[in-house]
Amino acid sequence: MAKEKLLEVIDLQAQFSTEEGIVKAVDKISFTLYRGETLGIVGESGSGKSVTSLSIMQLVAQPPGKIVGGQILYYPKGKGAIDLLQLSDKEMQHYRGNELAMIFQEPMTSLNPVFRCGDQVAEAIILHQKLSKAEAKKMTIDLFEKVQLPDPERIFSAYPHQLSGGQKQRVMIAMAMSCNPDVLIADEPTTALDVTVQKAILDLMNNLKKEINASIIFITHDLGVISEIADHVIVMFKGKIVEQGDIGSIFLNPQHPYTKGLLACRPPLDFRLRKLPVVSDFMDFGKNENEDIIITEKIKSIDEVTENNKIDLASREKRQHFLPTQKPILEVKNLETWFPAKKNFFGKTTDWVKAVNDVSFKVYPGETLGLVGESGCGKTTLGRTILRLVEAKSGEVIFEGKNINEISNDEMRSLRKDMQIIFQDPYSSLNPRMTIGNAIMEPMQVHKILANDDERKAKVIELLETVSLEAKHFNRYPHEFSGGQRQRICIARALSLNPKFIICDESVSALDVSVQAQVLNLLMELREKFQFTYIFISHDLSVVKFMSDRMIVMNDGKIEEIGDADEIYNHPKTTYTRNLIDAIPKGRREDLEARLGK
């Protein structure tokens, strides 16, 4: 059967005015979306993929953004082509939300915090389908059931802050599907979600697509996710399409060096690497006199780059036998951290959330201990309790022979220079009014590291260069850096006190896979150079497996299992761990061939 054309983008151009001049966010791109197809658009931050989706929906902010050329042709059933770029704002309102719907990356910013979730979905139904309030409420609850939300009646009356990230994303999917759209655009809808929730969302979108015969444009930086859902793939780089094709050809025989880099830089699960491949292993790029991007290919295959980075298993086994022979740097004994869940009329707590519930383990000098589990399992609370950022209910945290739960605040303050944390969101970790040089220098001043500020500034510049930044960045502010660069700044600040022990709390979860690979490589290099000890917290088991010597799997405040990271991955002992592993989008050749029936 001939494929039915649904949306056609022809020579689309969008640009933004900045202080540095005009940025060509989308630079003459063309592609076609067919009915019933899922089109994946992949690329790093700044590649133009989100601006492409916003252009289709006519949501590019003006100013500073502007669509300056091209056509976006929509082919509704029984009608001729409609150029969406030629429609007035009022005419576009008919199509937006009705025939073209969008799910945004961050559901909390898409949902109004002062209105109940059900009312927000019902409002969209009333606006586009002209139903009564009672009919819209019934339809909303039916949709909540369809997207597998627990207790739809309760969710209807709940406010956004009362739902988990996965539940909020399902509310957004219900809203997007409420008018049975022809085209559903999903912009990074699973980026910050647990792998199990992500898998459920992908399955849900696939089922709903088949049910209403819609088409999906799925935007992400993760080619592993694309391998699970897409039929056709577009790879974008610096506003241009550098490669496109069916899912099989892109994954099994990539042609462009940038595509090879994106495929290679996700941590593998079947073997170990010394360092992750990065995009620069496959290509260099610069600009010519016309400011056009010039790409120089390094003639390498993914297999060649990967093979050169594989770890010698004998040396790893030797390391695994050596680590436990040392005295532990950290010992956690029967640790419990509880939070009040319910209080009675008199303010007395009647029920508790046992976020950390009788947890015990040891960490050895120079070791990386991975801590993995779904949101709400207690891993972040455990990390913060170890550093006494959250007070424990009971138990012991013994660091270098000293129980830090029993020492004074002054002693704890002195000890903090040896125990550091790198948080998930680097932007909220940095003061926007303070230059990054001063942000790195500040803890050195507090703990009186070095004799004076001149020596400290020299040390800060050395640290910036250690994390692949430059001395000239000292006087710049956080907003002048990308997400990956800001995370490097936070790493430099943690290093400024010469710590012995660092907790990395979801420190790469919001980064592009290519930037994530760079940061993970940096953390590994620093461990080897300075003999750091890490606890590495993440919901992404593939990242934890790459970083860790041993791994703890947490569930509902307790340790589900603990042991060698490879052993847990290859031979999980519990159903919970097996489900976590099964939910990882692997993107392996055999998985893709099985999906394509090859």
mmCIF file with all atom_site columns, all heavy atoms in Angstrom, residues 392-404:
data_model
loop_
_atom_site.group_PDB
_atom_site.id
_atom_site.type_symbol
_atom_site.label_atom_id
_atom_site.label_alt_id
_atom_site.label_comp_id
_atom_site.label_asym_id
_atom_site.label_entity_id
_atom_site.label_seq_id
_atom_site.pdbx_PDB_ins_code
_atom_site.Cartn_x
_atom_site.Cartn_y
_atom_site.Cartn_z
_atom_site.occupancy
_atom_site.B_iso_or_equiv
_atom_site.pdbx_formal_charge
_atom_site.auth_seq_id
_atom_site.auth_comp_id
_atom_site.auth_asym_id
_atom_site.auth_atom_id
_atom_site.pdbx_PDB_model_num
ATOM 1  N N   . ALA A 1 392 ? 19.376 11.826 60.331 1.00 0.00 ? 392 ALA A N   1
ATOM 2  C CA  . ALA A 1 392 ? 18.912 10.440 60.428 1.00 0.00 ? 392 ALA A CA  1
ATOM 3  C C   . ALA A 1 392 ? 18.029 10.256 61.655 1.00 0.00 ? 392 ALA A C   1
ATOM 4  O O   . ALA A 1 392 ? 18.198 10.944 62.670 1.00 0.00 ? 392 ALA A O   1
ATOM 5  C CB  . ALA A 1 392 ? 20.101 9.500  60.501 1.00 0.00 ? 392 ALA A CB  1
ATOM 6  N N   . LYS A 1 393 ? 17.088 9.306  61.568 1.00 0.00 ? 393 LYS A N   1
ATOM 7  C CA  . LYS A 1 393 ? 16.271 8.942  62.729 1.00 0.00 ? 393 LYS A CA  1
ATOM 8  C C   . LYS A 1 393 ? 17.086 8.058  63.669 1.00 0.00 ? 393 LYS A C   1
ATOM 9  O O   . LYS A 1 393 ? 17.034 8.200  64.890 1.00 0.00 ? 393 LYS A O   1
ATOM 10 C CB  . LYS A 1 393 ? 15.006 8.208  62.278 1.00 0.00 ? 393 LYS A CB  1
ATOM 11 C CG  . LYS A 1 393 ? 14.110 7.728  63.418 1.00 0.00 ? 393 LYS A CG  1
ATOM 12 C CD  . LYS A 1 393 ? 12.886 7.011  62.863 1.00 0.00 ? 393 LYS A CD  1
ATOM 13 C CE  . LYS A 1 393 ? 11.990 6.524  63.999 1.00 0.00 ? 393 LYS A CE  1
ATOM 14 N NZ  . LYS A 1 393 ? 12.602 5.413  64.761 1.00 0.00 ? 393 LYS A NZ  1
ATOM 15 N N   . SER A 1 394 ? 17.850 7.138  63.060 1.00 0.00 ? 394 SER A N   1
ATOM 16 C CA  . SER A 1 394 ? 18.698 6.255  63.865 1.00 0.00 ? 394 SER A CA  1
ATOM 17 C C   . SER A 1 394 ? 19.757 5.646  62.956 1.00 0.00 ? 394 SER A C   1
ATOM 18 O O   . SER A 1 394 ? 19.707 5.773  61.732 1.00 0.00 ? 394 SER A O   1
ATOM 19 C CB  . SER A 1 394 ? 17.859 5.148  64.522 1.00 0.00 ? 394 SER A CB  1
ATOM 20 O OG  . SER A 1 394 ? 17.251 4.333  63.527 1.00 0.00 ? 394 SER A OG  1
ATOM 21 N N   . GLY A 1 395 ? 20.710 4.968  63.560 1.00 0.00 ? 395 GLY A N   1
ATOM 22 C CA  . GLY A 1 395 ? 21.769 4.329  62.793 1.00 0.00 ? 395 GLY A CA  1
ATOM 23 C C   . GLY A 1 395 ? 23.070 5.108  62.845 1.00 0.00 ? 395 GLY A C   1
ATOM 24 O O   . GLY A 1 395 ? 23.163 6.186  63.453 1.00 0.00 ? 395 GLY A O   1
ATOM 25 N N   . GLU A 1 396 ? 24.096 4.570  62.191 1.00 0.00 ? 396 GLU A N   1
ATOM 26 C CA  . GLU A 1 396 ? 25.424 5.174  62.223 1.00 0.00 ? 396 GLU A CA  1
ATOM 27 C C   . GLU A 1 396 ? 25.950 5.423  60.807 1.00 0.00 ? 396 GLU A C   1
ATOM 28 O O   . GLU A 1 396 ? 25.708 4.625  59.905 1.00 0.00 ? 396 GLU A O   1
ATOM 29 C CB  . GLU A 1 396 ? 26.407 4.249  62.945 1.00 0.00 ? 396 GLU A CB  1
ATOM 30 C CG  . GLU A 1 396 ? 26.096 4.002  64.414 1.00 0.00 ? 396 GLU A CG  1
ATOM 31 C CD  . GLU A 1 396 ? 27.079 3.013  65.018 1.00 0.00 ? 396 GLU A CD  1
ATOM 32 O OE1 . GLU A 1 396 ? 26.806 1.793  64.924 1.00 0.00 ? 396 GLU A OE1 1
ATOM 33 O OE2 . GLU A 1 396 ? 28.125 3.446  65.545 1.00 0.00 ? 396 GLU A OE2 1
ATOM 34 N N   . VAL A 1 397 ? 26.658 6.546  60.645 1.00 0.00 ? 397 VAL A N   1
ATOM 35 C CA  . VAL A 1 397 ? 27.411 6.836  59.418 1.00 0.00 ? 397 VAL A CA  1
ATOM 36 C C   . VAL A 1 397 ? 28.850 7.082  59.870 1.00 0.00 ? 397 VAL A C   1
ATOM 37 O O   . VAL A 1 397 ? 29.158 8.138  60.436 1.00 0.00 ? 397 VAL A O   1
ATOM 38 C CB  . VAL A 1 397 ? 26.857 8.063  58.669 1.00 0.00 ? 397 VAL A CB  1
ATOM 39 C CG1 . VAL A 1 397 ? 27.722 8.361  57.443 1.00 0.00 ? 397 VAL A CG1 1
ATOM 40 C CG2 . VAL A 1 397 ? 25.408 7.843  58.249 1.00 0.00 ? 397 VAL A CG2 1
ATOM 41 N N   . ILE A 1 398 ? 29.717 6.106  59.646 1.00 0.00 ? 398 ILE A N   1
ATOM 42 C CA  . ILE A 1 398 ? 31.090 6.185  60.145 1.00 0.00 ? 398 ILE A CA  1
ATOM 43 C C   . ILE A 1 398 ? 32.011 6.531  58.982 1.00 0.00 ? 398 ILE A C   1
ATOM 44 O O   . ILE A 1 398 ? 32.190 5.750  58.046 1.00 0.00 ? 398 ILE A O   1
ATOM 45 C CB  . ILE A 1 398 ? 31.510 4.851  60.790 1.00 0.00 ? 398 ILE A CB  1
ATOM 46 C CG1 . ILE A 1 398 ? 30.561 4.531  61.962 1.00 0.00 ? 398 ILE A CG1 1
ATOM 47 C CG2 . ILE A 1 398 ? 32.958 4.902  61.267 1.00 0.00 ? 398 ILE A CG2 1
ATOM 48 C CD1 . ILE A 1 398 ? 30.680 3.120  62.474 1.00 0.00 ? 398 ILE A CD1 1
ATOM 49 N N   . PHE A 1 399 ? 32.590 7.746  59.038 1.00 0.00 ? 399 PHE A N   1
ATOM 50 C CA  . PHE A 1 399 ? 33.504 8.212  57.999 1.00 0.00 ? 399 PHE A CA  1
ATOM 51 C C   . PHE A 1 399 ? 34.898 8.284  58.598 1.00 0.00 ? 399 PHE A C   1
ATOM 52 O O   . PHE A 1 399 ? 35.136 9.008  59.567 1.00 0.00 ? 399 PHE A O   1
ATOM 53 C CB  . PHE A 1 399 ? 33.072 9.584  57.482 1.00 0.00 ? 399 PHE A CB  1
ATOM 54 C CG  . PHE A 1 399 ? 33.964 10.137 56.399 1.00 0.00 ? 399 PHE A CG  1
ATOM 55 C CD1 . PHE A 1 399 ? 33.921 9.618  55.112 1.00 0.00 ? 399 PHE A CD1 1
ATOM 56 C CD2 . PHE A 1 399 ? 34.858 11.166 56.671 1.00 0.00 ? 399 PHE A CD2 1
ATOM 57 C CE1 . PHE A 1 399 ? 34.748 10.112 54.112 1.00 0.00 ? 399 PHE A CE1 1
ATOM 58 C CE2 . PHE A 1 399 ? 35.686 11.678 55.677 1.00 0.00 ? 399 PHE A CE2 1
ATOM 59 C CZ  . PHE A 1 399 ? 35.638 11.142 54.399 1.00 0.00 ? 399 PHE A CZ  1
ATOM 60 N N   . GLU A 1 400 ? 35.816 7.503  58.051 1.00 0.00 ? 400 GLU A N   1
ATOM 61 C CA  . GLU A 1 400 ? 37.194 7.412  58.549 1.00 0.00 ? 400 GLU A CA  1
ATOM 62 C C   . GLU A 1 400 ? 37.222 7.191  60.060 1.00 0.00 ? 400 GLU A C   1
ATOM 63 O O   . GLU A 1 400 ? 37.946 7.850  60.812 1.00 0.00 ? 400 GLU A O   1
ATOM 64 C CB  . GLU A 1 400 ? 37.994 8.655  58.154 1.00 0.00 ? 400 GLU A CB  1
ATOM 65 C CG  . GLU A 1 400 ? 38.205 8.767  56.648 1.00 0.00 ? 400 GLU A CG  1
ATOM 66 C CD  . GLU A 1 400 ? 39.280 9.777  56.288 1.00 0.00 ? 400 GLU A CD  1
ATOM 67 O OE1 . GLU A 1 400 ? 39.264 10.879 56.871 1.00 0.00 ? 400 GLU A OE1 1
ATOM 68 O OE2 . GLU A 1 400 ? 40.109 9.468  55.421 1.00 0.00 ? 400 GLU A OE2 1
ATOM 69 N N   . GLY A 1 401 ? 36.361 6.264  60.524 1.00 0.00 ? 401 GLY A N   1
ATOM 70 C CA  . GLY A 1 401 ? 36.356 5.876  61.929 1.00 0.00 ? 401 GLY A CA  1
ATOM 71 C C   . GLY A 1 401 ? 35.549 6.762  62.851 1.00 0.00 ? 401 GLY A C   1
ATOM 72 O O   . GLY A 1 401 ? 35.451 6.487  64.044 1.00 0.00 ? 401 GLY A O   1
ATOM 73 N N   . LYS A 1 402 ? 34.934 7.828  62.317 1.00 0.00 ? 402 LYS A N   1
ATOM 74 C CA  . LYS A 1 402 ? 34.189 8.773  63.160 1.00 0.00 ? 402 LYS A CA  1
ATOM 75 C C   . LYS A 1 402 ? 32.706 8.730  62.801 1.00 0.00 ? 402 LYS A C   1
ATOM 76 O O   . LYS A 1 402 ? 32.346 8.865  61.625 1.00 0.00 ? 402 LYS A O   1
ATOM 77 C CB  . LYS A 1 402 ? 34.746 10.185 62.922 1.00 0.00 ? 402 LYS A CB  1
ATOM 78 C CG  . LYS A 1 402 ? 34.191 11.244 63.862 1.00 0.00 ? 402 LYS A CG  1
ATOM 79 C CD  . LYS A 1 402 ? 34.822 12.602 63.564 1.00 0.00 ? 402 LYS A CD  1
ATOM 80 C CE  . LYS A 1 402 ? 36.286 12.634 63.940 1.00 0.00 ? 402 LYS A CE  1
ATOM 81 N NZ  . LYS A 1 402 ? 36.866 13.995 63.791 1.00 0.00 ? 402 LYS A NZ  1
ATOM 82 N N   . ASN A 1 403 ? 31.844 8.522  63.816 1.00 0.00 ? 403 ASN A N   1
ATOM 83 C CA  . ASN A 1 403 ? 30.398 8.514  63.590 1.00 0.00 ? 403 ASN A CA  1
ATOM 84 C C   . ASN A 1 403 ? 29.911 9.952  63.464 1.00 0.00 ? 403 ASN A C   1
ATOM 85 O O   . ASN A 1 403 ? 29.796 10.674 64.457 1.00 0.00 ? 403 ASN A O   1
ATOM 86 C CB  . ASN A 1 403 ? 29.681 7.803  64.737 1.00 0.00 ? 403 ASN A CB  1
ATOM 87 C CG  . ASN A 1 403 ? 28.175 7.683  64.494 1.00 0.00 ? 403 ASN A CG  1
ATOM 88 O OD1 . ASN A 1 403 ? 27.654 8.127  63.462 1.00 0.00 ? 403 ASN A OD1 1
ATOM 89 N ND2 . ASN A 1 403 ? 27.469 7.089  65.435 1.00 0.00 ? 403 ASN A ND2 1
ATOM 90 N N   . ILE A 1 404 ? 29.602 10.356 62.227 1.00 0.00 ? 404 ILE A N   1
ATOM 91 C CA  . ILE A 1 404 ? 29.273 11.773 62.011 1.00 0.00 ? 404 ILE A CA  1
ATOM 92 C C   . ILE A 1 404 ? 27.897 12.140 62.552 1.00 0.00 ? 404 ILE A C   1
ATOM 93 O O   . ILE A 1 404 ? 27.583 13.333 62.671 1.00 0.00 ? 404 ILE A O   1
ATOM 94 C CB  . ILE A 1 404 ? 29.377 12.164 60.517 1.00 0.00 ? 404 ILE A CB  1
ATOM 95 C CG1 . ILE A 1 404 ? 28.287 11.487 59.680 1.00 0.00 ? 404 ILE A CG1 1
ATOM 96 C CG2 . ILE A 1 404 ? 30.753 11.846 59.959 1.00 0.00 ? 404 ILE A CG2 1
ATOM 97 C CD1 . ILE A 1 404 ? 28.217 12.023 58.267 1.00 0.00 ? 404 ILE A CD1 1
#
